[in-house]
Amino acid sequence: MKQEETRVGQYNLPSWNKFEKMVDGIWDRKYYTNHGPLLQELETKLSELCNVKHAIGMTNSHIALMISAKALNVEGEVIIPSFSNIMLSQSVIWAGAKPTFTDVEVGKPHIDPDQILLNVNSESSAIFSSNLWGDFGDMERINKIARDNNLKTLYLSEDAFGQSYDEIPCGNYNDVVIFSFEESNIINGADCACVCTNDDELAARIRNIRSSYGSGPKVSIPYTGNGRLSEIQAGLALLSLEDIDENINNNKDKYGKYEEVIKNIPGISLYTASNKVTNQNYQNIVVLIDEPKYGLSAKELSNIFATKNIETLDFSTYGTSPNSPFESISDMPNTSNFQRNALRLPNNQNLTNTQIELIGSIIKNANKK
């Protein structure tokens, strides 16, 4: 197996001719960034696809999180899932608030509403959470808790672009939803991102902090930062949008093949989304390991794959301190379980059924002495 064919993630790229034509247009216009025509077209299309009033392009999801946290005026404590990308807690600290780590549900990598209720106090100002692995948390309960306690809500939904929950497109359930178009996601925008909101005033604050002149009304903000999305990023994302249906169908076929090759392996199960999720993009293939039954942890299995030049991704850096990816957050049993026993498998344009069969065979035999 070639390493470039077994990377984790999508890496969906347009044809070179399409890409070259797009770049030629940028050079002809001599308009490279600062809310250019391609970004305006991208924001319009994303707004329509996500059925939201505002889709605001950002240079990457880390910057999008930081700017959104500041625009939401969070203070005091922000409740976040302990099982999440470290950038979620770091953005809270950067905005001047304190993250309150909250365990996830049993069997699901999403923040547990019961644990949220235990952590809400007079200092709480917001709930920041994540939608992972093509699935959603318990949106109804979380939003009810937020309404009852006057808390703002933000969801980092890197894995959920194009999907719906209870037939409502993701992007409409919270004050802010952030999608990543990092190159390993279903939409490849060279690491760019999008912030969705239906709040006009909040959108204006986000745009002004992002600092793109002429992109909306001026409002009072604490300061500006450069979160502008370049024209070449916007152009690549637009080309990626053209192929999204084909790429989703390709992902779905691969997901089905993975189901087939691992279905009878003791201690191994494929993570599946809730039946409330529709228009699933299938970009992530995640297996859950019952370590006592299977005999290996995710890290141990990942190391075996590495010896065969196959890239996988464990989640050991999730559930860690915002100051160090090597210091785990304590007293979070469900988070600790996912850290140790969840593994993301390859899924990209060039992956073949034969290669998936080989991956299944490695999983089947890796624990044999």
Side-chain angles (χ1 to χ4, degrees):
M1 278 184 150
K2 295 180 181 178
Q3 177 68 27
E4 65 268 24
E5 293 179 340
T6 57
R7 292 178 298 177
V8 171
Q10 299 288 276
Y11 301 95
N12 297 319
L13 289 168
S15 70
W16 178 254
N17 287 339
K18 284 185 176 180
F19 181 76
E20 189 174 36
K21 183 179 179 181
M22 181 270 291
V23 174
D24 283 343
I26 295 173
W27 258 240
D28 290 342
R29 289 188 294 274
K30 295 181 172 56
Y31 200 131
Y32 307 111
T33 188
N34 197 36
H35 206 61
L38 291 181
L39 174 56
Q40 292 179 50
E41 180 183 352
L42 176 63
E43 289 186 340
T44 298
K45 287 189 175 181
L46 292 174
S47 178
E48 293 170 354
L49 283 169
C50 298
N51 194 30
V52 293
K53 292 176 70 175
H54 304 279
I56 305 163
M58 293 280 180
T59 187
N60 61 57
S61 56
H62 293 66
I63 295 294
L65 262 172
M66 294 164 70
I67 288 176
S68 297
K70 204 65 182 175
L72 284 165
N73 294 322
V74 297
E75 57 186 2
E77 298 180 10
V78 175
I79 297 169
I80 70 169
S82 49
F83 188 75
S84 57
N85 191 302
I86 196 171
M87 66 179 175
L88 197 64
S89 58
Q90 288 176 334
S91 69
V92 171
I93 293 171
W94 182 86
K98 175 186 176 183
T100 300
F101 292 102
T102 306
D103 207 358
V104 294
E105 299 180 68
V106 176
K108 294 190 71 173
H110 304 110
I111 194 167
D112 186 341
D114 291 331
Q115 296 297 314
I116 292 176
L117 284 170
L118 293 176
N119 283 328
V120 172
N121 60 54
S122 60
E123 297 297 313
S124 303
S125 64
I127 302 169
F128 284 12
S129 194
S130 300
N131 292 317
L132 295 172
W133 306 344
D135 201 5
F136 295 85
D138 191 337
M139 309 288 270
E140 294 97 335
R141 283 198 66 198
I142 293 170
N143 286 342
K144 184 179 187 305
I145 293 169
R147 289 193 301 271
D148 291 348
N149 293 277
N150 195 29
L151 304 177
K152 298 159 186 173
T153 55
L154 177 149
Y155 264 78
L156 180 61
S157 298
E158 295 185 291
D159 303 347
F161 181 77
Q163 299 188 171
S164 298
Y165 180 84
D166 265 355
E167 304 299 328
I168 298 175
C170 181
N172 287 271
Y173 272 94
N174 311 96
D175 293 316
V176 170
V177 175
I178 297 173
F179 296 111
S180 171
F181 301 142
E182 189 261 345
E183 57 270 13
S184 68
N185 290 327
I186 188 69
I187 298 298
N188 181 356
D191 207 32
C192 72
C194 168
V195 179
C196 291
T197 183
N198 287 310
D199 185 320
D200 294 338
E201 183 180 351
L202 178 58
R205 289 203 299 273
I206 291 170
R207 286 194 174 100
N208 278 262
I209 296 174
R210 179 188 65 176
S211 185
S212 288
Y213 311 112
S215 64
K218 294 180 180 180
V219 296
S220 177
I221 52 174
Y223 47 73
T224 62
N226 188 0
R228 290 176 286 192
L229 195 160
S230 71
E231 283 291 273
I232 200 164
Q233 288 177 294
L236 182 58
L238 284 167
L239 292 175
S240 192
L241 279 171
E242 292 179 6
D243 299 326
I244 188 170
D245 291 336
E246 178 183 349
N247 290 333
I248 288 174
N249 288 333
N250 191 22
N251 287 347
K252 188 175 182 180
D253 289 343
K254 289 183 173 65
Y255 184 90
K257 185 64 178 178
Y258 269 113
E259 279 186 312
E260 177 187 323
V261 301
I262 70 170
K263 64 181 177 182
N264 294 318
I265 303 176
I268 299 290
S269 60
L270 195 62
Y271 185 83
T272 56
S274 159
N275 57 14
K276 291 187 176 184
V277 179
T278 52
N279 305 321
Q280 193 171 350
N281 64 37
Y282 296 96
Q283 76 170 39
N284 288 334
I285 307 293
V286 175
V287 290
L288 302 180
I289 301 171
D290 185 332
E291 193 174 345
K293 286 184 180 180
Y294 183 65
L296 297 174
S297 68
K299 174 65 78 173
E300 290 168 331
L301 179 56
S302 181
N303 289 340
I304 291 172
F305 274 118
T307 66
K308 301 178 184 298
N309 208 30
I310 299 173
E311 180 185 292
T312 56
L313 178 68
D314 68 69
F315 293 88
S316 55
T317 60
Y318 280 47
T320 53
S321 162
N323 302 312
S324 171
F326 308 106
E327 180 186 343
S328 291
I329 298 164
S330 60
D331 301 321
M332 302 288 172
N334 299 329
T335 289
S336 297
N337 183 61
F338 282 119
Q339 277 184 301
R340 185 169 178 84
N341 295 317
L343 187 68
R344 187 175 170 192
L345 300 178
N347 185 32
N348 57 65
Q349 280 181 321
N350 299 319
L351 195 69
T352 66
N353 284 345
T354 300
Q355 291 172 324
I356 294 174
E357 288 170 359
L358 176 57
I359 290 168
S361 177
I362 292 169
I363 295 173
K364 183 177 180 179
N365 297 298
N367 61 348
K368 295 181 179 177
K369 305 298 183 184

